[in-house]
Amino acid sequence: MVDPSITRGGLLVALAVFGIGLYELRTLFEFLGVSVPIVPYLIAVVVLAFGIYGYISFFDKWRTESELAEADSK
């Protein structure tokens, strides 16, 4: 079974990659002639980031360094 616990660094990297991917999609739409305003994009990324961070913090899903080392040794 997969453990949903993640590290803070892993979350930040995942959000950065996701945000860049969305921005590139927006750029592609602009290239195709579909005008997409940037403000809703920025609001959506910020809400998503705080939502995920809040969910993980609320349900205490963070992994610590000692938990990671323990999991690697098993």
Side-chain angles (χ1 to χ4, degrees):
M1 182 157 177
V2 177
D3 184 13
S5 298
I6 60 172
T7 62
R8 288 178 182 93
L11 174 66
L12 294 175
V13 169
L15 288 174
V17 169
F18 184 72
I20 291 169
L22 283 179
Y23 187 78
E24 291 300 326
L25 185 64
R26 180 187 172 275
T27 304
L28 176 66
F29 282 143
E30 289 285 334
F31 177 74
L32 295 175
V34 179
S35 181
V36 180
I38 194 159
V39 174
Y41 157 79
L42 293 174
I43 292 171
V45 169
V46 169
V47 167
L48 178 68
F50 281 109
I52 291 172
Y53 187 84
Y55 173 79
I56 292 173
S57 295
F58 182 74
F59 290 108
D60 198 29
K61 298 289 186 187
W62 294 120
R63 278 191 172 180
T64 61
E65 292 293 328
S66 60
E67 290 173 340
L68 288 173
E70 202 175 284
D72 287 341
S73 66
K74 290 183 180 181

